[in-house]
Amino acid sequence: MPTLCRPAIAVPEHVITLDDTLRIARGLHAGHDQLPLVLRLIRNTQVAERHLVQPVEQTLRHPGFEERNAIYVREAKARIPDVVERALAHARLGPDRIDAIVFVSCTGFTMPSLIPWMINELGFRSDTRQLPIAQMGCAAGGAAINRAHDFCLAYPGSHVLVVACEFCSLCYQPTDLDVGNLLSNGLFGDAVAAAVVRGDRAAGFRLSGNGSRLVRDTEDWISYAVKSTGFHFRLDRRVPGTMEQLAPELRSVAADFGWNAGALDFYIIHAGGPRILDDLSHHLGVAPAMFRHSRATLSEYGNIASAVVLDALRRLFEEGGAFHGARGLIAGFGPGITAEITVGTWCRHPAHPALETHPSTSKEALT
């Protein structure tokens, strides 16, 4: 049964705190008639700090979409290799053992995707399958895990690398005064994350099944307006309320396996914002503490889009994981409005002999 191994993550070195964000908002938008509302919304995000690929002063300047995208490519190529190397070490695999790469990102664009560059530069085989996902926003982390799972089921024994690269700060639009856009300036952060789905038995989150659900007629609620200046984030104020509609969908997917989604042992939930987590906790009947890893990601890194679920899962691994056989759920939410849902069990004991002898094994990967 395919197993999601321990993720690796990297956040950039430039830090912006909540106080910094509020001070900048007051200075830049002193005349905005809804500034008090914007400041309150930013405070309510519970994001203590975020990490940016550029210093704050450079982030606040818009050099044009072409240069912004060049920064995206440069920073991605500088930061992806280390994260991929650590994710492979956690899975005890070399790059030659990877059969497919799923690359997800919604904050920059290249064609071809960055997968061919990874194959050429990082030692992957030339027959590695490529699956880039560019238009699912924050839901793409869950989608990547699910498509990797599907690939391993279609090709038994295969291994899939998932990479999420999100530099949300490169979507900052200084002249866009829409309240939803101003809120996003205090919510989103930058990160790169990666994880391997092994197609054989291994220690980690053993994947049992997955599902995708769409809330009808909400495709405009989370979106980009694509303009000459790049991507302009649009967020409808009704988005937080969608958990009332999505909670039954999580229950439906879990019920396919005879499970009660409100009575599982661990949860990895996309941290779109505190109300998303609060409302889902309420509608599932789950104690707020069960979402602690997602809340920690939100507080320390902000909403890092598709990388959120991988970072929250990393935190569970670092906590020591769940008990053997524990039942859990991963849920990513994003444009559509779409939910990508994964269910499975925790495995503490690798059952494949190769796991103990592969040359890529590292001390870090044993935990």
Side-chain angles (χ1 to χ4, degrees):
M1 188 178 293
T3 303
L4 178 57
C5 300
R6 177 182 171 183
I9 191 163
V11 291
E13 61 276 17
H14 306 290
V15 176
I16 181 170
T17 67
L18 174 60
D19 287 342
D20 293 332
T21 300
L22 294 172
R23 174 179 51 79
I24 291 169
R26 290 190 194 98
L28 292 177
H29 308 296
H32 197 293
D33 59 356
Q34 292 185 288
L35 179 61
L37 170 63
V38 170
L39 296 177
R40 177 164 55 84
L41 291 173
I42 291 175
R43 287 193 195 95
N44 290 345
T45 63
Q46 300 176 14
V47 176
E49 64 180 35
R50 295 168 292 145
H51 295 251
L52 312 176
V53 292
Q54 301 179 102
V56 175
E57 296 76 16
Q58 288 179 248
T59 300
L60 294 175
R61 293 195 294 268
H62 196 323
F65 179 59
E66 182 178 355
E67 187 171 337
R68 278 262 180 96
N69 206 63
I71 295 168
Y72 168 86
V73 175
R74 182 191 73 211
E75 294 296 334
K77 290 182 175 180
R79 298 172 191 275
I80 286 174
D82 171 67
V83 174
V84 166
E85 181 180 358
R86 287 189 284 123
L88 292 173
H90 293 330
R92 300 179 174 92
L93 294 173
D96 59 308
R97 299 281 304 283
I98 295 298
D99 300 290
I101 299 174
V102 184
F103 178 80
V104 297
S105 182
C106 65
T107 51
F109 182 79
T110 67
M111 191 175 75
S113 76
L114 289 174
I115 298 176
W117 170 80
M118 283 189 274
I119 292 174
N120 287 324
E121 299 296 326
L122 304 182
F124 297 102
R125 304 191 317 266
S126 61
D127 66 345
T128 304
R129 308 290 183 89
Q130 304 178 44
L131 182 57
I133 301 176
Q135 293 162 296
M136 294 192 71
C138 297
I145 293 168
N146 289 346
R147 300 298 76 79
H149 182 201
D150 295 343
F151 186 93
C152 290
L153 294 179
Y155 301 94
S158 296
H159 309 305
V160 182
L161 172 69
V162 169
V163 180
C165 179
E166 301 290 13
F167 301 143
C168 302
S169 64
L170 297 179
C171 295
Y172 171 70
Q173 299 292 345
T175 62
D176 193 334
L177 303 183
D178 176 81
V179 170
N181 189 70
L182 293 179
L183 169 61
S184 75
N185 296 338
L187 176 64
F188 288 96
D190 299 347
V192 179
V196 171
V197 175
R198 286 194 64 126
D200 52 15
R201 298 177 67 84
F205 184 45
R206 188 159 294 167
L207 306 176
S208 300
N210 65 70
S212 181
R213 297 291 191 272
L214 177 75
V215 180
R216 288 189 180 276
D217 302 319
T218 59
E219 64 266 29
D220 296 330
W221 290 17
I222 303 175
S223 64
Y224 276 161
V226 182
K227 303 182 180 182
S228 60
T229 48
F231 306 136
H232 290 243
F233 186 66
R234 292 290 177 261
L235 180 68
D236 191 282
R237 63 183 181 181
R238 292 170 289 183
V239 167
T242 54
M243 290 304 103
E244 184 175 2
Q245 296 156 280
L246 287 174
E249 304 299 345
L250 270 64
R251 290 188 181 278
S252 172
V253 173
D256 289 342
F257 299 86
W259 297 356
N260 176 0
L264 301 180
D265 302 301
F266 63 93
Y267 298 83
I268 302 298
I269 306 297
H270 173 67
R275 186 176 164 192
I276 295 290
L277 297 175
D278 292 344
D279 281 9
L280 187 60
S281 170
H282 169 73
H283 291 298
L284 285 181
V286 171
M290 296 297 287
F291 295 169
R292 64 189 179 280
H293 301 300
S294 300
R295 293 182 190 278
T297 296
L298 183 65
S299 174
E300 296 173 20
Y301 296 158
N303 182 339
I304 48 175
S306 64
V308 166
V309 290
L310 294 174
D311 182 66
L313 181 63
R314 172 189 65 88
R315 294 170 188 271
L316 175 58
F317 270 92
E318 291 183 354
E319 188 182 70
F323 61 85
H324 187 73
R327 297 176 301 174
L329 178 148
I330 297 175
F333 309 122
I337 286 174
T338 301
E340 287 284 338
I341 305 156
T342 312
V343 295
T345 57
W346 198 266
C347 179
R348 299 189 66 87
H349 314 297
H352 196 290
L355 294 178
E356 305 302 327
T357 59
H358 193 276
S360 294
T361 299
S362 70
K363 206 177 263 189
E364 185 184 19
L366 295 173
T367 58

